[in-house]
Amino acid sequence: MSSIHTYQPTTDCLQDRIILITGAGAGIGAAVAKSCASHGATVILLGKTTRKLETVYDEIVASGAPEPIIMPMDLAVAKPEDYTNMAEAVEKEFGHLDGLLHNAAHLGNRMMFEQYDLELWNKVMQVNLNAPMLLTRACLPLLKKSADASIIFTSSESGRKGRAYWGAYAISNAATDNMMQVLADELETNTGIRVNSLDPGPVRSALRLIAYPGENQNQIKKPEEIVNGYLYLLGPAGKGVTGQLLSLQA
Ligand SMILES: NC(=O)c1ccc[n+]([C@@H]2O[C@H](COP(=O)([O-])OP(=O)(O)OC[C@H]3O[C@@H](n4cnc5c(N)ncnc54)[C@H](OP(=O)(O)O)[C@@H]3O)[C@@H](O)[C@H]2O)c1
């Protein structure tokens, strides 16, 4: 039986699924979006920088995969009504949603807890914790209309165990893990929606380079190398998996 670590997706494993991915313009989000599309999904690319989303859009269209949708949104400043408007647009276009990957994140600064800037603290919490809460709430009616819906929250090693100087990023990830558990527990009894939290492990990206500037980039995986774990959770292989704190670390 395959697991999140061994899963090998079939070409059509996400056929006809509608999957929304935040932070889809770069790094892990872009790689997962392209892989979802190449396995049959229509992806909704949500992110801050329109130009980056357009590049991913162009690559997906050029590959012959289902045409994606671009939704530029700055999660640091979006208001609750922006999320409901966005969900209404998805409802109008597709009628339902099968997958929701909360992948966007703001790293903030690595600094002492005592000195952490309050404005930065609020921004990290807004992007990493409040935005996924607001987006999930707005999308739940659409996810309830899916026959096999999956929500993935993103966490990190620093969220699973707090570490000096990781401040708001670590704490927001820990709170996200707990939010996942609250939601998974509520949804397990009333719906078929599965909810999990995933730590991708060390992956080459802009965020990673800022967090670990001294790291040898050639020794860590590229985003394309870890996408199967996401496809496992978003597709039929992940059926029955819910409420789990998962990691793609080797
Ligand atoms: N890479 C790792 O080693 C690692 C390890 C553990 C966990 N993670 C987690 O994996 C996820 C993906 O990170 P990554 O490594 O792929 O980093 P990345 O390449 O820097 O991607 C982060 C994404 O988040 C988006 N984003 C940031 N602020 C946003 C905002 N205010 N509104 C909307 N989108 C925003 C960025 O969009 P723009 O580019 O347009 O700003 C970008 O697409 C994050 O949740 C991160 O915490 C990564």
Side-chain angles (χ1 to χ4, degrees), residues 23 28 48-49 52 73-75 103 105 169 201 203 205 207-208:
I28 297 168
K48 191 175 62 181
T49 313
K52 293 183 186 178
M73 192 186 275
D74 183 346
L75 300 175
N103 163 82
Y169 178 79
V203 179
S205 72
L207 182 146
R208 181 84 194 178

Side-chain angles (χ1 to χ4, degrees), residues 152-155 160 177 180 195-199 244-246:
I152 306 174
F153 290 98
T154 302
S155 189
R160 301 274 158 87
D177 280 343
M180 177 281 290
V195 195
N196 294 284
S197 175
L198 184 58
D199 164 18
Q244 303 290 308
L245 300 171
L246 299 161

Side-chain angles (χ1 to χ4, degrees), residues 133-144:
M133 185 276 271
L134 289 163
L135 183 58
T136 303
R137 282 210 318 200
C139 289
L140 271 175
L142 294 170
L143 290 157
K144 285 178 182 170

Side-chain angles (χ1 to χ4, degrees), residues 75-114:
L75 300 175
V77 296
K79 303 267 179 302
E81 56 270 26
D82 296 324
Y83 295 92
T84 44
N85 290 343
M86 190 275 305
E88 270 171 34
V90 175
E91 160 96 70
K92 215 168 160 194
E93 183 75 26
F94 302 110
H96 73 285
L97 190 64
D98 302 295
L100 175 56
L101 168 57
H102 298 288
N103 163 82
H106 190 67
L107 183 63
N109 274 350
R110 305 268 304 279
M111 61 193 334
M112 282 186 72
F113 185 85
E114 248 183 301

